[in-house]
Amino acid sequence: MTRSKPPADAASFWDELRRYTPARIGLGRSGEALPTREVLAFGWAHARARDAVHTPLDAATLENDLRTAGFDVVQAASRAGDRATYLRRPDLGRAVDRATAIRLRRGGFDVALVVGDGLSSLAVQRHAAPLLAALRALLEPLTLSPVVLVQQARVAIGDEIGERLGARLVVVLIGERPGLSSPDSLGAYLTFDPKPGRHDAQRNCVSNIRPEGLAIDAAARKIAWLVHAALDRGLTGVGLKDESEAPILDGGGASLPR
């Protein structure tokens, strides 16, 4: 096997590769250390990631965005009373507080919609409302719950919320753990027959939803395909594979199950 040699101009070589990835490649060196510009860039990226974790969700603005898009909204909270507790006690972020438990009413919904701040309020603030707006049209004629907007939330809090609402399936949109190049990545977790005690192998996840990752429209279509397939087959998790982009005879992507 032959290998192509880097061009004489190393800077041009790495610049060409950086067109295809935001990863930190070809950083160079100054003596035995990184160049000052790379040290500063690392510090800036790290600060953005920390801000994504610690910046509180502007729940009022997000509720207004969701209501403008035509959704009913229920404000909720986990048992983690503040951010410090949330970070130290993941178990408290998986259960709703007493006030929320009283507020949630059974409705016999096909799909419960839950939005949680998770580890990146930035992701939720930017992408949750447009994603739900794109998703709603693809989920017809299913019955949808009001959007339950939860602060200090972990993924599994959707299990309790889905059970309290009497939903057949829950979709949890939540801010993912920030990376140095992705502080605003949104994740979507689907669980059929939600109830406390479900584990991660019983969920499907659509990850990295953001303009530089999986675009809103593509994410909505993938989630909708999984929702319809889950309700048809009565399961989510390792038994439900994402075949939304499987090739079919006419050359297009796979159709929705219904």
Side-chain angles (χ1 to χ4, degrees):
M1 183 178 72
T2 60
R3 293 183 177 180
S4 59
K5 295 182 179 179
D9 185 348
S12 298
F13 173 76
W14 288 113
D15 285 345
E16 176 66 16
L17 292 183
R18 288 190 190 99
R19 293 173 52 197
Y20 303 101
T21 176
R24 309 173 73 80
I25 59 174
L27 302 183
R29 62 172 54 191
S30 178
E32 297 297 323
L34 289 172
T36 300
R37 68 175 183 280
E38 297 298 341
V39 174
L40 293 175
F42 180 88
W44 179 72
H46 187 253
R48 286 204 309 164
R50 286 181 58 86
D51 283 349
V53 172
H54 291 284
T55 300
L57 177 69
D58 184 347
T61 296
L62 182 53
E63 177 177 350
N64 183 65
D65 292 344
L66 291 166
R67 290 191 182 281
T68 300
F71 292 97
D72 291 330
V73 179
V74 176
Q75 291 277 0
S78 76
R79 293 182 186 173
D82 53 50
R83 201 59 172 169
T85 303
Y86 169 81
L87 294 173
R88 288 196 306 267
R89 293 285 305 274
D91 57 314
L92 297 181
R94 299 183 185 116
V96 298
D97 66 1
R98 182 176 177 81
T100 298
I102 294 172
R103 205 155 43 237
L104 297 178
R105 305 288 185 185
R106 294 184 69 84
F109 305 104
D110 291 315
V111 181
L113 300 175
V114 178
V115 174
D117 50 2
L119 287 167
S120 174
S121 60
L122 184 63
V124 176
Q125 205 85 54
R126 288 179 175 174
H127 311 315
L131 177 58
L132 284 175
L135 183 60
R136 177 173 51 194
L138 299 174
L139 294 183
E140 293 179 353
L142 300 176
T143 55
L144 308 180
S145 77
V147 178
V148 182
L149 181 54
V150 197
Q151 298 192 60
Q152 317 298 358
R154 301 277 176 174
V155 170
I157 202 168
D159 299 337
E160 181 181 356
I161 293 172
E163 183 183 50
R164 289 185 180 277
L165 292 173
R168 298 172 61 200
L169 178 143
V170 64
V171 176
V172 178
L173 305 183
I174 195 164
E176 296 182 331
R177 186 184 303 278
L180 291 177
S181 60
S182 56
D184 64 338
S185 182
L186 186 71
Y189 292 81
L190 290 72
T191 309
F192 181 78
D193 190 17
K195 62 183 66 173
R198 292 297 190 199
H199 50 76
D200 289 345
Q202 295 173 303
R203 313 185 199 283
N204 286 84
C205 175
V206 178
S207 183
N208 197 29
I209 303 169
R210 62 193 183 102
E212 298 81 4
L214 183 63
I216 293 292
D217 287 346
R221 183 164 182 82
K222 190 177 291 288
I223 295 167
W225 191 94
L226 287 166
V227 167
H228 286 293
L231 294 177
D232 280 352
R233 303 173 193 180
L235 56 83
T236 47
V238 296
L240 177 62
K241 302 302 181 187
D242 175 16
E243 299 170 340
S244 59
E245 298 181 5
I248 54 178
L249 293 179
D250 66 5
S255 300
L256 293 174
R258 63 174 70 188

